[in-house]
Amino acid sequence: HNHRYRDMPVYYSGSPMNVSFDRSEDREYGVNIVEGSLDNYKVRFVPLDLPRLIRKTISSKSEMVASERDHVIYEIVGSIDELAQVEKTDLLDKKIAYKADEQSVLDLSGLGLVEELELYLRHQKIEEVDTVLNTFKSLGVVR
C-alpha cells in the first residue's frame, strides 16, 4: 500500500504473512524494501515464502487433502444427505447445503402427502428417495 504522511511517501506492504484464511492461493505476502534517499528512492516488493492459511470450497464428493506446508481447511458443499456422510476432521471447517433457487416453487396442488414428500425429496436432490418413502409409509401415518 502506498500512503502519504505529511509530504513524505510512506510504503506499507500489509502483513508479511496472512493472518486470516485466504480463498485464493495466488495472493503474495512479503515486505517492501526501500533503497536510496528521500529524494531518490525505489521500492521493491520481496515475497516471503511462508506457510499460509487457506480455505477451499469443494463438493461433498471431493477429497479433503492435508498440506505438508500450509494450513488448509475445507468448506464442503452438497445435498443434505451427502453432507451427512462427511465425517468431521481437522480439515473440515463447515458444511454448506445446496440452497434452493429463490425462483424455484414447488407445485404441490392436488398431491397427497406421500407425493408431496417425494417431490420435495427429489427437489432437494436426496439420493435415497425410495428408502425414505418406504420408511415414511411404514410409520402408518398415511392411509
Side-chain angles (χ1 to χ4, degrees):
H1 304 41
N2 183 358
H3 300 283
R4 287 205 87 43
Y5 174 72
R6 295 188 183 167
D7 59 347
M8 296 180 289
V10 177
Y11 285 88
Y12 172 66
S13 61
S15 178
M17 58 188 289
N18 67 332
V19 293
S20 62
F21 286 90
D22 282 337
R23 293 187 181 276
S24 169
E25 297 179 56
D26 298 335
R27 183 167 175 197
E28 290 187 324
Y29 290 89
V31 295
N32 285 323
I33 304 295
V34 180
E35 298 172 322
S37 67
L38 269 177
D39 298 327
N40 185 18
Y41 63 90
K42 69 178 190 172
V43 179
R44 179 172 46 99
F45 179 77
V46 177
L48 299 177
D49 189 26
L50 299 172
R52 306 171 64 162
L53 302 171
I54 300 169
R55 175 179 285 121
K56 294 182 179 183
T57 303
I58 60 173
S59 77
S60 60
K61 295 184 178 8
S62 299
E63 183 180 357
M64 292 182 276
V65 179
S67 170
E68 292 289 325
R69 177 175 186 266
D70 298 320
H71 182 68
V72 180
I73 59 174
Y74 290 88
E75 296 174 333
I76 308 294
V77 179
S79 67
I80 293 171
D81 62 330
E82 292 170 339
L83 295 176
Q85 303 300 318
V86 176
E87 293 185 23
K88 177 73 175 148
T89 72
D90 289 340
L91 297 175
L92 178 61
D93 180 39
K94 62 182 153 185
K95 299 177 185 181
I96 304 171
Y98 292 130
K99 214 175 188 180
D101 186 353
E102 291 181 14
Q103 301 299 320
S104 175
V105 177
L106 295 178
D107 181 9
L108 304 176
S109 57
L111 299 179
L113 190 55
V114 174
E115 291 84 11
E116 285 182 13
L117 178 58
E118 180 178 5
L119 184 61
Y120 175 77
L121 293 172
R122 294 197 190 286
H123 177 74
Q124 291 296 319
K125 298 178 175 70
I126 304 299
E127 292 177 5
E128 302 294 328
V129 172
D130 292 332
T131 303
V132 173
L133 290 174
N134 288 334
T135 302
F136 184 74
K137 290 176 189 175
S138 74
L139 296 174
V141 178
V142 182
R143 296 182 184 138

